[in-house]
Amino acid sequence: MSDSPFQNGKQAEDIRQIPRWTRRYAMNRRSFGVALNIGVFLFLFGVIKGFSHLSGVAHRAGETFLSYLLFAPALIACVVVCVGSIYLSVPKWGGRKLEGLLKRLEGRGGSATLSVPGNTKKRRWDMLVAGGLFACCIVACVCLGSLGYIPSTYMQPVSALYSVPFLLFLAYRLWPIAGPIPLLWPLLYSVHAVLILAGAPILFTGSWEGLNILIPVGGYGMLTSLIGFAYSRYALRRLKRLARIEGGENGPETQAIDADES
Amino acid sequence: MMILSGVDEADFKFMLSATGTTKGNLSSHADRLEQAGYIEITKSFNGKIPNTRYRLTPAGKSALEKYWAVIDEMRALSGKGP
């Protein structure tokens, strides 16, 4: 039997990684909820786009009744998106219910809180200012785009000018809680913009033009969230393996239990 | 304790999923660590569902630091230093 409480130095170093992997697991485990939110909105936007496109085709073919019939789901989805966004953004109405639903979804894994620097809790106004500026930029961009001042080809690169700083700001504000994975979203968004400016054939044309914004916003957001979720599962597996090594050794837990039993 | 040192606070389910141990085992470990003053246990209810939360105390943090200092010393003595 070895004198050392660990069989080798590597094992001791592995066990030292437990707090780090715990943090990584706790940081990314809520990504599934974010992916689910984005997925629901992407689905609804898909319904709007798909059914309005089919309705247009039916209208042009002279099938008026069919075009109205196909337009109805798009209209319903539109109303759901508008009402749903307002309902979920107000904590008193649906925000807390959504939080409760996400907690139930993640309930099997329990919950953990990570330390947040004291000043982060107090500085809420900068989030409001950044959110307000972001919303103003979106409205200005959409208006300029519809007036023809911004060509539709360059809508995504122009939107990157304000979306990337905003996403970086969000990642900075969530840093102690969310870790580095949210940075992937602005990174992919910037790369997409650079590729468009470089003339890469990644632009949708015709009736699918809307996907030029929808894919970078929703698609990359969902991809980032799913990567975060997959990483949290990996972190949990590592954590369980490390906890098994530690559980079999003479750690402070066991010492406390031994003292209690003696 | 190592898991709790990575977060501020964790509930029973989180600890259960992170350690992969049984409910009884986790409860008895936690109770004894609480008696030793290493962790703080807060019991409350979420509606009708009991919610147990664990937090490492300053004494627990210092015990963990001392523990690793001893391990490092032993490893240094046996030539497997950090």
Side-chain angles (χ1 to χ4, degrees):
Chain A
M1 198 175 149
S2 168
D3 285 345
S4 166
F6 300 109
Q7 285 167 10
N8 53 54
K10 194 186 170 297
Q11 221 174 39
E13 286 310 312
D14 278 351
I15 288 164
R16 241 185 208 168
Q17 303 289 317
I18 287 178
R20 187 179 294 173
W21 284 104
T22 308
R23 283 186 78 82
R24 285 174 183 169
Y25 168 54
M27 274 172 179
N28 296 297
R29 56 199 291 276
R30 301 207 77 175
S31 303
F32 180 70
V34 180
L36 195 74
N37 275 324
I38 297 171
V40 168
F41 277 91
L42 275 181
F43 171 74
L44 289 169
F45 278 115
V47 169
I48 295 167
K49 185 71 197 166
F51 278 98
S52 55
H53 176 72
L54 290 174
S55 170
V57 171
H59 185 73
R60 280 190 291 276
E63 299 280 349
T64 316
F65 177 71
L66 186 66
S67 79
Y68 284 132
L69 204 68
L70 287 166
F71 189 67
L75 196 68
I76 293 167
C78 247
V79 171
V80 169
V81 167
C82 292
V83 175
S85 303
I86 296 166
Y87 182 73
L88 294 176
S89 56
V90 179
K92 214 187 234 179
W93 296 344
R96 285 197 195 116
K97 281 181 188 162
L98 180 72
E99 184 80 13
L101 177 76
L102 291 176
K103 270 188 181 167
R104 265 206 295 277
L105 277 172
E106 295 157 357
R108 278 173 59 209
S111 75
T113 48
L114 292 157
S115 52
V116 178
N119 57 350
T120 313
K121 283 180 187 168
K122 288 174 195 163
R123 286 188 295 119
R124 294 234 165 145
W125 60 267
D126 60 354
M127 279 294 283
L128 288 171
V129 171
L133 276 173
F134 182 61
C136 289
C137 286
I138 292 175
V139 172
C141 204
V142 169
C143 289
L144 289 172
S146 33
L147 290 171
Y149 289 108
I150 305 171
S152 59
T153 323
Y154 294 115
M155 277 299 266
Q156 197 276 336
V158 169
S159 74
L161 291 174
Y162 57 83
S163 300
V164 171
F166 180 68
L167 290 171
L168 286 173
F169 174 75
L170 275 186
Y172 162 73
R173 283 300 307 270
L174 292 171
W175 182 261
I177 305 164
I181 288 181
L183 288 171
L184 206 59
W185 194 349
L187 179 76
L188 291 170
Y189 204 87
S190 327
V191 170
H192 192 98
V194 170
L195 285 174
I196 286 176
L197 291 174
I202 52 168
L203 278 171
F204 291 92
T205 50
S207 55
W208 299 106
E209 218 168 39
L211 291 176
N212 288 325
I213 284 284
L214 200 62
I215 287 182
V217 173
Y220 294 154
M222 194 151 176
L223 183 71
T224 304
S225 311
L226 289 174
I227 289 172
F229 179 66
Y231 188 65
S232 81
R233 303 322 291 171
Y234 170 72
L236 179 63
R237 271 184 60 194
R238 283 288 303 255
L239 189 57
K240 278 186 176 171
R241 196 178 62 79
L242 296 173
R244 266 203 298 275
I245 300 173
E246 207 243 0
E249 300 296 344
N250 194 22
E253 283 97 333
T254 324
Q255 284 168 10
I257 290 160
D258 288 347
D260 188 64
E261 279 170 350
S262 60
Chain B
M1 273 174 76
M2 288 291 285
I3 288 168
L4 283 176
S5 70
V7 289
D8 245 20
E9 202 179 49
D11 73 355
F12 186 77
K13 280 183 179 174
F14 182 90
M15 294 298 289
L16 209 59
S17 72
T19 55
T21 184
T22 61
K23 287 180 185 178
N25 217 337
L26 178 62
S27 275
S28 66
H29 267 68
D31 284 344
R32 285 167 186 187
L33 287 169
E34 189 191 27
Q35 280 165 26
Y38 290 166
I39 65 167
E40 188 188 308
I41 303 177
T42 316
K43 293 189 178 186
S44 62
F45 281 90
N46 268 346
K48 287 182 179 175
I49 304 160
N51 181 29
T52 308
R53 300 192 73 83
Y54 304 101
R55 178 189 281 269
L56 204 62
T57 60
K61 276 177 198 162
S62 118
L64 211 56
E65 276 163 20
K66 275 182 200 159
Y67 170 74
W68 280 110
V70 171
I71 295 294
D72 286 343
E73 212 171 298
M74 284 170 70
R75 287 177 60 207
L77 285 172
S78 63
K80 294 174 185 171

